[in-house]
Amino acid sequence: MCLAIPGKLVRIFENTGLKMGEVDYDGTVSQVCLEYVPEIALGQYTVVHAGFALSILDEEEAQKTLALWQELLEKADQQRENDGRSGGRQNE
Amino acid sequence: MSKYLSEFREPAVARLMLDEIKGLVTKPWVIMEVCGGQTHAIVRSGIDQLLPTGVRLVHGPGCPVCVTPLEIIDQAIAIAMMPEVILCSFGDMLRVPGSQQDLLSARASGADVRIVYSPLEALQTARENTGRQVVFLAIGFETTAPGNAMVVAQAAKEGLTNFSILVCHVLVPPAMKTLLDSPDNQVQGYLAAGHVCTVMGLAEYEAISAEYKVPIVVTGLESNDILEGLLMILRQLESGRHEVENQYGRSVKREGNPLAREMVGRVFATKDQKWRGIGLLPQSGLTVREEFSGFDAAKRFAVQEIATKESPLCISGIILQGLQRPDQCPAFATSCRPEHPLGATMVSGEGACAAYYHYKKL
Ligand code: SF4
């Protein structure tokens, strides 16, 4: 029950006084309770545990992490090219 | 694969991080990943095999199904066998062995046991079955406590008299402390569970890190999250630092989720809690507060005293403390298999024994 993956909020509604929503996981839609993330907006991603959304995925943070990794990759490629040109060991 | 998953499993990034880890490490280190979901990802992606020799990952107690004590399983079965009861549970609890049987075999012998994905479904079952008693088996870590607290508050608001929860909630930080306090402890750094911290925030971890001088890196659940978490922790270890760092900023904020924490505190109080295989840990569990005691199944159905019996072969307690690996258990993959588990760690998707069984070609 801890293997939560992020899903995208596609609908908001109310049921028995609780703020509810529908979250899309790549085509599979499930109902979740939004009471703990009341400020969430349609289109945002959320991490859900046992039917309760517990956080709004911070897309800016996610992009920052990914951009950093991309930068590292490019640097490594650059390094490899330089090594190759200077007659160093060609990486596989 | 859905967005925000595959990008965090990109193999080229993984290779890069592994190279960096190899270039960094000068000494042997022992690091524990606390969360069973991380154990699963580590074994599935083979991270444990790719790390430089000397860097050892030990698997922690972070599988809620695994540490739920036998007494609770036996109590749940006893309650489920009552004719007026509908027992609702997460699916992965059904095959966890109790002393005599599991919930699945109780169902085969007539108990009304239903699988739900959310405690809200159990609450709905209560609304629809006013002539029956609906009991939800409310287990888990800090991640499921907010949902379980919410349904109790909601049932109280609606004045439902046929709904209750059988609670077994365990809290991660007290277990982390207990492991560090143990004379057998080998753990030098923790990958803390990203989703637990999503709810609870970082404060408790900062206290542990300062008191025990161990680095703690709050880490996500995808393979590259884990590699980055390891890199961050190894940088700390190699340079003699010990602080709390947050690798999983896309979900974890310093303060956690205050609304969720507040609701948990309103419905539950902390108590000493027994962990299956590990024992009683002070203030490591949750119990329903007095004002909501009408929704506490343990009180509603007086089934407190049950003598329990564990399989003598199972060493899952030692495994949950990171002292042995699953493949070191003599019963592993012989008399203990997922179809016939002797211990809870072989049942749950987050259990270390199940992860080894499914992903390791032994
Ligand atoms: S392999 Fe089975 S018997 Fe051995 S520790 Fe794991 S669950 Fe227990």
Side-chain angles (χ1 to χ4, degrees):
Chain A
M1 76 209 60
C2 287
L3 304 174
I5 55 170
K8 186 179 184 171
L9 186 68
V10 293
R11 191 179 147 228
I12 297 175
F13 61 99
E14 205 214 88
N15 185 14
T16 62
L18 296 178
K19 182 166 182 170
M20 301 289 293
E22 277 178 2
V23 170
D24 182 349
Y25 301 94
D26 244 9
T28 312
V29 172
S30 60
Q31 289 203 356
V32 308
C33 178
L34 302 176
E35 285 288 320
Y36 294 131
V37 289
E39 70 280 27
I40 195 167
L42 287 178
Q44 286 189 311
Y45 282 76
T46 171
V47 174
V48 179
H49 277 264
F52 285 79
L54 293 182
S55 69
I56 302 172
L57 191 115
D58 187 332
E59 298 200 48
E60 210 174 294
E61 275 290 329
Q63 295 309 343
K64 237 197 276 172
T65 304
L66 292 171
L68 196 80
W69 291 353
Q70 196 52 44
E71 208 177 290
L72 290 176
L73 273 183
E74 278 157 22
K75 240 190 251 164
D77 280 346
Q78 192 65 46
Q79 186 68 41
R80 217 168 297 157
E81 247 170 56
N82 290 347
D83 288 355
R85 257 204 302 276
S86 66
R89 185 176 60 91
Q90 190 78 41
N91 226 322
E92 68 279 14
Chain B
M1 204 184 292
S2 75
K3 199 164 176 223
Y4 296 117
L5 275 189
S6 50
E7 300 107 306
F8 290 91
R9 295 180 182 173
E10 169 60 43
V13 173
R15 278 194 292 276
L16 203 70
M17 289 202 210
L18 279 164
D19 282 347
E20 208 166 321
I21 287 174
K22 280 179 193 145
L24 177 78
V25 171
T26 63
K27 293 193 225 43
W29 299 107
V30 178
I31 299 165
M32 175 177 276
E33 88 278 359
V34 176
C35 158
Q38 290 171 341
T39 302
H40 203 77
I42 286 168
V43 180
R44 184 185 60 212
S45 57
I47 289 175
D48 52 338
Q49 305 300 313
L50 298 168
L51 291 173
T53 31
V55 177
R56 201 152 60 81
L57 286 180
V58 293
H59 315 310
C63 160
V65 173
C66 305
V67 299
T68 299
L70 200 48
E71 288 86 335
I72 293 286
I73 312 287
D74 288 349
Q75 277 185 17
I77 292 170
I79 292 173
M81 293 305 281
M82 299 176 183
E84 73 274 25
V85 167
I86 300 172
L87 186 101
C88 297
S89 168
F90 295 129
D92 42 2
M93 290 306 288
L94 263 61
R95 302 196 56 247
V96 177
S99 295
Q100 313 285 340
Q101 58 174 343
D102 56 24
L103 279 165
L104 203 61
S105 47
R107 181 159 81 177
S109 49
D112 193 345
V113 178
R114 303 185 189 179
I115 294 176
V116 295
Y117 295 95
S118 158
L120 282 174
E121 289 174 47
L123 191 65
Q124 185 57 25
T125 307
R127 292 189 193 108
E128 289 164 3
N129 294 273
T130 45
R132 310 271 306 272
Q133 282 294 325
V134 175
V135 180
F136 177 62
L137 180 50
I139 69 140
F141 285 109
E142 290 91 331
T143 48
T144 49
N148 294 339
M150 177 72 78
V151 288
V152 168
Q154 187 71 11
K157 202 160 83 186
E158 295 176 27
L160 288 179
T161 54
N162 68 329
F163 180 77
S164 58
I165 64 175
L166 183 61
V167 189
C168 178
H169 264 298
V170 285
L171 305 172
V172 173
M176 291 168 69
K177 282 173 114 168
T178 302
L179 294 177
L180 293 174
D181 279 330
S182 156
D184 302 329
N185 175 56
Q186 305 166 348
V187 175
Q188 293 162 298
Y190 277 121
L191 293 185
H195 289 155
V196 168
C197 297
T198 295
V199 176
M200 301 305 290
L202 304 182
E204 295 169 290
Y205 296 85
E206 285 161 355
I208 294 176
S209 176
E211 183 183 343
Y212 293 89
K213 304 195 176 6
V214 287
I216 300 178
V217 176
V218 176
T219 305
L221 275 88
E222 303 310 321
S223 42
N224 290 351
D225 286 326
I226 293 169
L227 282 168
E228 188 173 46
L230 285 170
L231 186 56
M232 288 163 83
I233 222 161
L234 287 163
R235 279 194 191 120
Q236 288 201 41
L237 287 168
E238 287 282 341
S239 62
R241 284 181 297 131
H242 53 85
E243 53 202 65
V244 173
E245 291 179 288
N246 183 7
Q247 184 275 333
Y248 197 39
R250 64 188 189 276
S251 179
V252 176
K253 301 291 160 228
R254 203 181 166 278
E255 68 283 7
N257 184 327
L259 284 176
R261 275 213 320 267
E262 193 189 310
M263 182 61 98
V264 170
R266 211 177 108 200
V267 173
F268 296 120
T270 54
K271 63 153 192 168
D272 297 346
Q273 171 71 46
K274 196 171 160 193
W275 295 49
R276 188 170 192 170
I278 298 178
L280 190 75
L281 306 185
Q283 296 301 302
S284 70
L286 297 176
T287 182
V288 179
R289 279 190 192 280
E290 203 45 46
E291 52 175 309
F292 292 103
S293 64
F295 301 95
D296 186 346
K299 293 202 175 118
R300 181 171 297 185
F301 308 91
V303 284
Q304 300 278 21
E305 296 303 318
I306 293 181
T308 57
K309 201 164 89 286
E310 282 280 7
S311 162
L313 293 175
C314 182
I315 61 161
S316 64
I318 299 169
I319 289 171
L320 288 164
Q321 294 169 65
L323 300 175
Q324 298 247 313
R325 286 193 322 267
D327 52 354
Q328 293 171 312
C329 169
F332 178 79
T334 54
S335 57
C336 181
R337 296 163 171 277
E339 322 78 79
H340 174 69
L342 295 182
T345 40
M346 186 56 97
V347 178
S348 164
E350 293 149 52
C353 297
Y356 270 61
Y357 188 89
H358 290 300
Y359 297 121
K360 294 242 184 243
K361 302 278 167 274
L362 292 159

